[in-house]
């Protein structure tokens, strides 16, 4: 009797039911909307009028820390994408979970910075602000918002489904969209940091 290989076993795995996929979509929507609501609440609050000197020192270095976290997340994201294309699924999983963890760290740092009033105005030439900084910032923020649902969906499917279920659940297709949006957003976030803190 021939023993089924890993690929044969994945092919013989029954596809996920429509109800299970629908449940994952609903979970994705709930988590995404919860994240949007929490961020909106925190960012809409008035920052404190006065900060301790130590807090101001922390705020001064947060932009650099956030940029480093973004760069590390981008590196993990692209490494995970390449691992998936090469069929190295365990490595793909590790890189993508690392990227998600780094983005969670970024969100905590960013929200802390904004909530404490650590916002910096662009000090460069008006032409650069109009044609480079503002478009980059707008696309960065828009893609950051749009990326949340596909990333959440793929994390949920990747952690809860066997490998044989993932294609039928749309994991690879959603992942391609998520990687494209996420990588552009992260790259533009780094560009915005450079424009605000290094070049001008």
């Amino acid at each position: 009797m021939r023993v089924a290989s890993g690929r044969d076993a994945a092919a013989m795995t029954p596809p996920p039911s429509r109800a299970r996929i629908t449940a994952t979509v609903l979970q994705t929507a709930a988590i995404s909307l919860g994240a949007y609501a929490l961020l909106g609440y925190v960012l809409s609050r008035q920052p404190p009028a006065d900060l301790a000197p130590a807090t101001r020192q922390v705020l001064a270095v947060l932009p650099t820390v956030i940029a480093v976290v973004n760069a590390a997340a981008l590196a993990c994201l692209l490494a995970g994408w390449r691992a998936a294309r090469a069929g190295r699924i365990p490595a793909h999983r590790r890189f993508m979970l690392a990227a998600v963890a780094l983005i969670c760290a970024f969100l905590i740092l960013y929200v802390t910075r904004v909530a404490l009033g650590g916002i910096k105005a662009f000090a460069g030439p008006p032409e650069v602000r109009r044609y480079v900084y503002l478009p980059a910032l707008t696309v960065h923020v828009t893609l950051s918002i749009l990326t949340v649902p596909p990333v959440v969906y793929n994390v949920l499917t990747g952690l809860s489904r066997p490998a044989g279920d993932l294609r039928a659940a749309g994991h690879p297709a959603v992942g391609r969209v998520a990687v494209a949006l996420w990588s552009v957003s992260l790259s533009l976030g780094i560009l915005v940091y450079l424009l605000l803190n290094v070049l001008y």
Side-chain angles (χ1 to χ4, degrees):
M1 173 182 282
R2 186 173 70 90
V3 177
S5 66
R7 180 172 295 181
D8 292 337
M12 291 186 295
T13 303
S17 66
R18 183 178 298 275
R20 191 174 181 186
I21 294 176
T22 301
T24 304
V25 171
L26 292 176
Q27 291 171 356
T28 298
I31 293 173
S32 300
L33 291 173
Y36 293 148
L38 179 61
L39 287 173
Y41 171 75
V42 172
L43 298 179
S44 65
R45 293 174 62 84
Q46 189 70 20
D50 192 25
L51 296 174
T55 304
R56 293 187 182 278
Q57 290 177 354
V58 171
L59 281 178
V61 301
L62 272 184
T64 301
V65 174
I66 289 172
V68 171
V69 171
N70 267 355
L74 178 60
C76 288
L77 179 67
L78 295 178
W81 173 71
R82 293 186 64 181
R85 287 179 61 85
R88 297 184 289 112
I89 303 306
H92 165 74
R93 183 187 180 99
R94 289 193 299 271
F95 280 125
M96 289 308 188
L97 288 178
V100 170
L102 288 166
I103 284 302
C104 290
F106 156 77
L107 286 174
I108 293 171
L109 293 170
Y110 177 77
V111 168
T112 299
R113 174 180 159 230
V114 174
L116 293 176
I119 301 299
K120 181 179 180 181
F122 180 69
E127 294 80 7
V128 176
R129 179 180 184 275
R130 180 179 303 167
Y131 297 113
V132 180
Y133 171 73
L134 288 180
L137 179 63
T138 301
V139 175
H140 165 63
V141 172
T142 302
L143 292 183
S144 296
I145 295 171
L146 294 177
T147 299
V148 174
V151 168
V152 170
Y153 179 84
N154 260 24
V155 170
L156 291 176
T157 55
L159 292 178
S160 64
R161 309 287 177 83
D165 279 5
L166 293 179
R167 185 169 297 279
H171 185 89
V174 174
R176 286 190 288 270
V177 174
V179 167
L181 297 178
W182 199 0
S183 58
V184 173
S185 174
L186 288 171
S187 300
L188 290 175
I190 295 170
L191 174 61
V192 167
Y193 162 78
L194 293 174
L195 290 170
L196 281 175
N197 300 279
V198 178
L199 300 177
Y200 298 103

